[in-house]
Amino acid sequence: MIVTTDALFRVAYGKYAVGAYNINNMEQALGLFKGHIEAQAPFIIQISKGARKYAGIPMIEAIIRAADQLYPDAIYAVHLDHGDEATCYSCIDSGFYSSVMIDASHEPFDQNVAITRRVVERAHARGISVEAELGMLGGVEEDIALDEKHAMLTDPDEAKAFVEQTGCDSLAVAIGTSHGAYKFKGQQSLHFDRIAAIQQKLPGLPLVMHGSSSVPQEEVQRINAAGGALDPAARGVDENEFQRAAALGVTKVNIDTDGRLVWTRVHREYFRDQPAEFDFRKPGAVYVQEYARFIVHKSEKLGSAGQLAAVREAVS
Ligand code: G3H
Ligand code: 13P
Ligand code: ZN
């Protein structure tokens, strides 16, 4: 059942984080729904512009509708990930999405405010909520000076002004993470002091953490042992920090790269071990199982596992 993103946030805020996963194809959808039913967890499906282009807009929506029929007990929201203004309007007008993200964080503050405000007005008129972004994600490398690092993080006072001026419903904040498999080298922690300072200025506002993949070393090693060439020094977010962040208002945690690593590991190992095989349904079925297992694990780390009954109660 598709629900509003707001409804999920209301139930989860301050208690646990809802996992937001990108999908592009049928196998990802099957694993995603299966895993969340096994974990009894609510979730958010993210569709990027790239996914809309790759699968085609009617196809990606049909995959979700079909998965919903196969897993009628699933409770989730459908969200546009990293939208530009035109794509936000297309999703708002389609009636299929629970929420959209307008990503104008690369623009100067005033421009970001103006664009976000236009999207908020149009979305709210249709009962759709809006995630906006403020701050610079990424590039938090070890060799960057501490001052420089802090300058890239979301400023709490700016965040308060931004939310007041735009009316956005949730805010993606730069708190030390970045997208992709190559986030940083060596152990890094989330900037909890910054998250706490933002929450203090914006109590009750759901915060969104992008770039939340953990890039498990074991996964990277298995991919490389099966012919891959990923940087073995790459590190991601410590998933044991999710719940501490959730207590400070981080209510949506975006994970895409880790799922791609599961896909790559399963398929590389399968064809390495079965070089004469060409029936792609065989590794496809393994991937669905493995992705579901991965989702159960993430749900436990996010604290969303076992919350489905409470969510059903709240939304009915
Ligand atoms: O943050 C972006 C997500 O990982 C989606 O990636 O634009 O390649 O679909 P994509
Ligand atoms: P990762 O690249 O860490 O999986 O982040 C995904 C994301 O933020 C999607 O918006
Ligand atoms: Zn992102």
Side-chain angles (χ1 to χ4, degrees), residues 27-50:
E27 289 80 3
Q28 276 182 308
L30 288 174
L32 191 69
F33 279 73
K34 180 176 162 53
H36 281 108
I37 287 301
E38 280 171 21
Q40 289 289 291
F43 59 106
I44 297 172
I45 299 180
Q46 305 215 108
I47 304 175
S48 71
K49 275 190 291 173

Side-chain angles (χ1 to χ4, degrees), residues 83-85 88 100-104 112 115-116 119 130-133:
D84 54 28
E85 198 172 352
C88 282
V100 294
M101 176 192 187
I102 174 67
D103 182 357
N112 190 356
I115 296 167
T116 302
V119 172
V130 177
E131 174 185 327
E133 179 169 324

Side-chain angles (χ1 to χ4, degrees), residues 20 22 46 81-82 101 131 137 177-181 183 209-215 237 252-259:
N22 294 72
Q46 305 215 108
D81 189 29
H82 292 285
M101 176 192 187
E131 174 185 327
L137 280 176
T177 65
S178 60
H179 290 110
K183 299 182 193 300
M209 184 161 80
H210 283 248
S212 311
S213 282
S214 61
V215 194
V237 175
K252 174 170 176 276
V253 166
N254 289 9
I255 299 168
D256 186 19
T257 296
D258 281 351

Side-chain angles (χ1 to χ4, degrees), residues 88-128:
C88 282
Y89 295 152
S90 162
C91 293
I92 291 165
D93 294 344
S94 80
F96 186 67
Y97 288 71
S98 315
S99 52
V100 294
M101 176 192 187
I102 174 67
D103 182 357
S105 56
H106 47 280
E107 301 282 358
F109 183 87
D110 290 344
Q111 269 295 102
N112 190 356
V113 167
I115 296 167
T116 302
R117 229 170 105 162
R118 287 200 291 273
V119 172
V120 166
E121 273 166 25
R122 194 136 150 194
H124 284 183
R126 302 282 299 255
I128 291 164

Side-chain angles (χ1 to χ4, degrees), residues 229-287:
L230 302 182
D231 181 353
R235 296 289 179 275
V237 175
D238 180 350
E239 53 194 13
N240 294 312
E241 295 188 343
F242 289 164
Q243 292 200 42
R244 195 175 152 202
L248 295 170
V250 173
T251 317
K252 174 170 176 276
V253 166
N254 289 9
I255 299 168
D256 186 19
T257 296
D258 281 351
R260 294 179 180 194
L261 294 177
V262 174
W263 192 98
T264 305
R265 182 251 300 164
V266 165
H267 289 83
R268 279 198 178 277
E269 287 185 346
Y270 188 86
F271 288 114
R272 175 197 63 190
D273 298 341
Q274 255 96 196
E277 190 56 77
F278 55 89
D279 181 351
F280 53 79
R281 292 172 299 189
K282 291 179 180 169
V286 176
Y287 167 72

Side-chain angles (χ1 to χ4, degrees), residues 169-235:
D169 305 281
S170 61
L171 188 66
V173 286
I175 48 177
T177 65
S178 60
H179 290 110
Y182 305 119
K183 299 182 193 300
F184 27 73
K185 296 189 161 113
Q187 199 61 44
Q188 299 254 357
S189 178
L190 298 176
H191 290 257
F192 285 105
D193 48 348
R194 188 59 64 108
I195 307 174
I198 298 170
Q199 190 197 32
Q200 211 195 3
K201 297 279 176 187
L202 292 165
L205 187 90
L207 305 176
V208 179
M209 184 161 80
H210 283 248
S212 311
S213 282
S214 61
V215 194
Q217 264 177 283
E218 193 212 335
E219 208 70 290
V220 170
Q221 280 160 8
R222 285 177 70 176
I223 289 169
N224 287 348
L230 302 182
D231 181 353
R235 296 289 179 275

